[in-house]
Amino acid sequence: QVQLVECGGGSVQAGGSLTLSCVVAGYTANRHCMAWFRQAPGQEREEVATIDSDDVATYIESVKGRFTVSRDNAKNTLYLEMNSVKTEDAAMYYCASGSVSPCDVLVVAAHPDQVLQDWGKGTQVTISS
């Protein structure tokens, strides 16, 4: 069983930066795909970024050039560096892991609960204008 725990959320001003972390515990040998999702109140859950075991990352268009996903396998930690944040980035952010291939935002967006087996409980990001 795999456990994911997110942290690093908080309040930041628009234009600022924030880095989220997701600590992974448990048997992860077949969980090569890691992902970040977000969900704002009243909105659908949205995929944000993915990264595979070769550190190949994919992003949705709205965060390209602003967000960076990375992973430190030695620390069993996934990161999401958020720069130049906008008010529309405010949401609960979740990390997830799975064995889906290819590990791509378009692939995981279609059926996230089916292709990503493990989910964290989320960390809240609030952005003030």
Side-chain angles (χ1 to χ4, degrees), residues 83-100:
N83 296 312
S84 302
V85 297
K86 303 176 181 180
T87 54
E88 53 262 42
D89 294 322
M92 183 72 81
Y93 281 73
Y94 302 89
C95 64
S97 68
S99 55
V100 60

Side-chain angles (χ1 to χ4, degrees), residues 44-121:
E44 296 285 323
R45 183 175 52 183
E46 178 184 43
E47 71 291 344
V48 176
T50 62
I51 186 168
D52 68 12
S53 55
D54 292 321
D55 288 337
V56 176
T58 67
Y59 303 90
I60 56 171
E61 284 298 322
S62 61
V63 306
K64 280 183 179 179
R66 301 189 299 118
F67 289 12
T68 302
V69 60
S70 62
R71 59 196 295 172
D72 185 332
N73 293 327
K75 295 183 178 180
N76 291 327
T77 303
L78 175 73
Y79 301 98
L80 183 68
E81 181 182 351
M82 306 166 59
N83 296 312
S84 302
V85 297
K86 303 176 181 180
T87 54
E88 53 262 42
D89 294 322
M92 183 72 81
Y93 281 73
Y94 302 89
C95 64
S97 68
S99 55
V100 60
S101 182
C103 181
D104 183 282
V105 286
L106 295 180
V107 173
V108 302
H111 302 287
D113 293 315
Q114 295 178 19
V115 302
L116 297 171
Q117 290 79 25
D118 317 295
W119 292 80
K121 296 185 182 300

Side-chain angles (χ1 to χ4, degrees), residues 4-62:
L4 307 175
V5 179
E6 305 92 338
C7 64
S11 182
V12 62
Q13 281 193 322
S17 299
L18 199 64
T19 297
L20 308 181
S21 301
C22 171
V23 178
V24 183
Y27 183 73
T28 60
N30 61 343
R31 299 291 199 263
H32 73 279
C33 183
M34 301 291 298
W36 285 100
F37 280 73
R38 65 186 180 186
Q39 188 168 21
Q43 297 190 22
E44 296 285 323
R45 183 175 52 183
E46 178 184 43
E47 71 291 344
V48 176
T50 62
I51 186 168
D52 68 12
S53 55
D54 292 321
D55 288 337
V56 176
T58 67
Y59 303 90
I60 56 171
E61 284 298 322
S62 61

